Amino acid sequence: VGGNLTYWSDNQASVDSGAKVVGKTVKNTPVIAKAPDPKKILGVLTIFGLVVKLVSLISTFILGLLFIHFLPKFTQNTLETLRVKTWPSLGIGFIALFITPILAVILFITVIGFPLGLILLPLYFIAVYLSRLAVVILVGQQIFKQTKNKTNDVLSLLIGLIVYGILTLIPIVGGLVSFFVILFGLGAALITLKNPPQSVPSVRKSS
């Protein structure tokens, strides 16, 4: 070798007796990539999940404020539907949650229905996301009612979201809570749109 010899190995280089290195022989220890620490990965994923959940709860609170302010009648009607048609809301929500995507797929595979599918699918996801608003407000109202403290929809929304956020952190239980909240909220909203309750006050207070 007419120059330097640089190599990477855990062992010393074996140079043939007839070979000669004119320059320097430099031995480097190979860098072995360490396997990722499962605990660190789990920690990063946990933090990421908590951040996502916090952002989701904050956005839900903001959307809830908008609904309470700009759509007070619809909000109160949906709450009343949840109170008086609780189980029908669950059934309608279940049907809507699973039938709507199937209907959207059917529309997508037809030439005429493709534009309707493009409209239906985004509306479906928006409705599912917003479906928890009425449920968390109602939960907040019931909590204030049990404590015999006066409240309004904004405070009820805040307390309901806190309770919802805590419950959804529990493994398995959190998934079930989210699922049934969507069913009840989605069903109540659909029933209200078709047949709103009569004589519901714009602002409901619990005593």
Side-chain angles (χ1 to χ4, degrees), residues 24-108:
K24 295 180 179 179
T25 300
V26 180
K27 173 181 174 293
N28 294 303
T29 302
V31 178
I32 301 175
K34 294 183 179 179
D37 187 351
K39 292 183 179 180
K40 289 184 178 180
I41 295 176
L42 181 60
V44 171
L45 292 177
T46 300
I47 293 174
F48 178 76
L50 290 174
V51 171
V52 171
K53 183 173 290 294
L54 180 61
V55 171
S56 177
L57 292 176
I58 292 174
S59 63
T60 301
F61 180 71
I62 294 173
L63 289 171
L65 293 178
L66 294 176
F67 265 74
I68 292 171
H69 183 75
F70 294 105
L71 297 171
K73 187 174 181 180
F74 175 75
T75 301
Q76 294 303 322
N77 284 342
T78 305
L79 291 172
E80 190 66 18
T81 299
L82 273 174
R83 294 187 186 94
V84 301
K85 297 181 179 180
T86 305
W87 299 115
S89 296
L90 178 65
I92 295 298
F94 183 86
I95 294 172
L97 185 66
F98 292 101
I99 294 299
T100 305
I102 297 174
L103 178 60
V105 171
I106 294 174
L107 291 173
F108 277 133

Side-chain angles (χ1 to χ4, degrees), residues 2-201:
N4 296 329
L5 173 63
T6 303
Y7 68 98
W8 282 260
S9 177
D10 292 326
N11 304 315
Q12 292 292 334
S14 178
V15 182
D16 198 57
S17 58
K20 183 179 180 181
V21 179
V22 176
K24 295 180 179 179
T25 300
V26 180
K27 173 181 174 293
N28 294 303
T29 302
V31 178
I32 301 175
K34 294 183 179 179
D37 187 351
K39 292 183 179 180
K40 289 184 178 180
I41 295 176
L42 181 60
V44 171
L45 292 177
T46 300
I47 293 174
F48 178 76
L50 290 174
V51 171
V52 171
K53 183 173 290 294
L54 180 61
V55 171
S56 177
L57 292 176
I58 292 174
S59 63
T60 301
F61 180 71
I62 294 173
L63 289 171
L65 293 178
L66 294 176
F67 265 74
I68 292 171
H69 183 75
F70 294 105
L71 297 171
K73 187 174 181 180
F74 175 75
T75 301
Q76 294 303 322
N77 284 342
T78 305
L79 291 172
E80 190 66 18
T81 299
L82 273 174
R83 294 187 186 94
V84 301
K85 297 181 179 180
T86 305
W87 299 115
S89 296
L90 178 65
I92 295 298
F94 183 86
I95 294 172
L97 185 66
F98 292 101
I99 294 299
T100 305
I102 297 174
L103 178 60
V105 171
I106 294 174
L107 291 173
F108 277 133
I109 63 178
T110 63
V111 177
I112 299 178
F114 188 83
L116 292 177
L118 288 177
I119 297 173
L120 180 62
L121 206 56
L123 290 177
Y124 167 77
F125 287 114
I126 293 173
V128 169
Y129 185 79
L130 295 176
S131 60
R132 54 186 173 177
L133 285 175
V135 180
V136 296
I137 293 175
L138 184 61
V139 168
Q141 288 180 347
Q142 293 304 312
I143 291 174
F144 278 106
K145 185 177 181 180
Q146 293 299 321
T147 58
K148 297 182 179 180
N149 291 318
K150 292 184 178 181
T151 184
N152 53 47
D153 288 339
V154 175
L155 285 176
S156 297
L157 172 65
L158 179 60
I159 297 301
L161 271 177
I162 292 174
V163 173
Y164 174 79
I166 293 173
L167 290 177
T168 52
L169 289 175
I170 305 174
I172 301 177
V173 174
L176 291 174
V177 169
S178 297
F179 178 69
F180 281 101
V181 164
I182 290 173
L183 295 186
F184 281 110
L186 185 60
L190 292 174
I191 292 174
T192 301
L193 286 172
K194 184 178 179 181
N195 187 22
Q198 302 297 320
S199 302
V200 179

